[in-house]
């Protein structure tokens, strides 16, 4: 028994893991932190995970915050979601707004409010029911976007990235990138403006504007 307890203590120390909950039962918030911060939780309040490796699941009635080098989550969030990480995968659902910042992202869930994405590469699937605001080097838009999108490509060397569309843009929007490609399955309803170096080879519904000597980050700044 003592050997088992010693091994358990060593594992906890190596992971540097801590767990805490606070607040009344009707609004109980949960925090997990350590080298590995993982596990499913049922929180009547908010939840926060922080670690090198984060794996979060369960039901959170209010807000969820995740930060780590590698972040994976299939949680169901009743409030807002905030994720910061190098590599991110989210496959859950969010009733409120979502903010995601990372290097590589796979977002394949249900996003009820505004979705804001900042990063190098992102693939966005699932259902985005609120507006999409995105800025990064490369985006794959594969989901259903129920509100207007604003996507601006930038890769840090004064070029304007790439956007690939194979999903459904139900309310159009603005997409700016050095290159914009439409793939099989893409559909656009509503007014969509595409700003790129060359007009995309696609016969669907969109307005084209040549990027010229501008870059998309500057265009985004002027639209704010």
């Amino acid at each position: 028994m003592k050997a088992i307890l010693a091994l358990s203590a060593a594992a906890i120390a190596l992971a540097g893991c801590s767990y805490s909950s606070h607040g009344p039962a009707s609004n109980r918030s949960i925090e997990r932190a350590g080298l590995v911060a993982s596990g499913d939780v049922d929180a009547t309040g908010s939840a926060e995970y922080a670690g090198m490796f984060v794996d979060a699941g369960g039901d959170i009635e209010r807000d969820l915050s995740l930060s780590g080098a590698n972040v994976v989550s299939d949680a169901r969030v009743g409030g807002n979601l905030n994720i910061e990480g190098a590599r991110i995968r989210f496959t859950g659902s969010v009733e409120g707004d979502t903010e995601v910042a990372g290097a590589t992202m796979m977002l394949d869930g249900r996003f009820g409010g505004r979705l804001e994405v900042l990063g190098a590469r992102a693939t966005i699937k699932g259902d985005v029911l609120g507006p999409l605001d995105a800025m990064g080097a490369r985006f794959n838009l594969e989901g259903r976007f129920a509100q207007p999108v604003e996507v601006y490509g930038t890769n840090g060397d004064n070029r304007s990235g790439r956007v690939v569309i194979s999903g459904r843009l139900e309310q159009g929007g603005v997409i700016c990138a050095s290159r914009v490609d439409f793939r099989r399955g893409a559909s656009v309803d509503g007014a969509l403006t595409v700003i790129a170096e060359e007009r995309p080879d696609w016969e669907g519904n969109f307005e084209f504007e040549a990027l010229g000597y501008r870059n998309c980050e500057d265009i985004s700044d002027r639209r704010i």
Side-chain angles (χ1 to χ4, degrees):
M1 177 66 71
K2 289 183 178 179
I4 294 174
L5 291 174
L7 286 172
S8 298
I12 293 172
L14 179 62
C17 182
S18 66
Y19 173 90
S20 66
S21 64
H22 53 85
S26 60
N27 184 23
R28 185 171 298 277
S29 294
I30 294 173
E31 297 178 1
R32 291 180 183 267
L35 177 63
V36 178
S38 66
D40 289 358
V41 298
D42 291 321
T44 53
S46 298
E48 182 175 348
Y49 289 65
M52 183 68 71
F53 302 98
V54 171
D55 189 344
D59 293 282
I60 296 91
E61 291 189 13
R62 298 197 177 182
D63 301 336
L64 175 62
S65 177
L66 308 173
S67 61
N70 190 83
V71 177
V72 177
S73 177
D74 64 351
R76 293 161 295 281
V77 184
N80 300 326
L81 172 67
N82 181 274
I83 307 178
E84 297 180 1
R87 185 178 179 88
I88 296 167
R89 182 179 181 88
F90 182 81
T91 55
S93 63
V94 186
E95 294 298 323
D97 296 335
T98 301
E99 296 183 8
V100 186
T104 302
M105 291 163 276
M106 168 64 77
L107 308 176
D108 186 4
R110 181 185 183 278
F111 303 92
R114 179 178 295 275
L115 174 60
E116 298 184 13
V117 181
L118 176 64
R121 294 174 64 97
T123 297
I124 305 175
K125 299 183 177 183
D127 290 314
V128 181
L129 304 182
L132 170 67
D133 293 325
M135 179 174 288
R138 175 160 179 160
F139 287 102
N140 295 318
L141 305 182
E142 300 180 9
R144 179 176 74 94
F145 301 87
Q147 297 295 322
V149 305
E150 290 198 16
V151 181
Y152 299 94
T154 175
N155 60 12
D157 62 356
N158 204 36
R159 291 184 59 78
S160 295
R162 184 182 182 188
V163 177
V164 178
I165 304 153
S166 57
R168 181 173 181 179
L169 309 183
E170 295 185 345
Q171 296 294 327
V174 177
I175 295 177
C176 180
S178 291
R179 181 172 175 178
V180 177
D181 293 322
F182 290 87
R183 298 290 172 80
R184 179 176 296 181
S187 65
V188 174
D189 300 312
L192 174 67
T193 299
V194 173
I195 306 171
E197 292 179 353
E198 297 182 359
R199 182 182 180 88
D201 183 14
W202 191 65
E203 296 181 354
N205 177 38
F206 70 96
E207 299 264 339
F208 174 70
E209 182 180 327
L211 182 60
Y213 293 102
R214 301 170 297 171
N215 65 64
C216 293
E217 189 169 359
D218 290 340
I219 293 173
S220 172
D221 292 340
R222 288 195 293 271
R223 292 179 63 89
I224 297 175

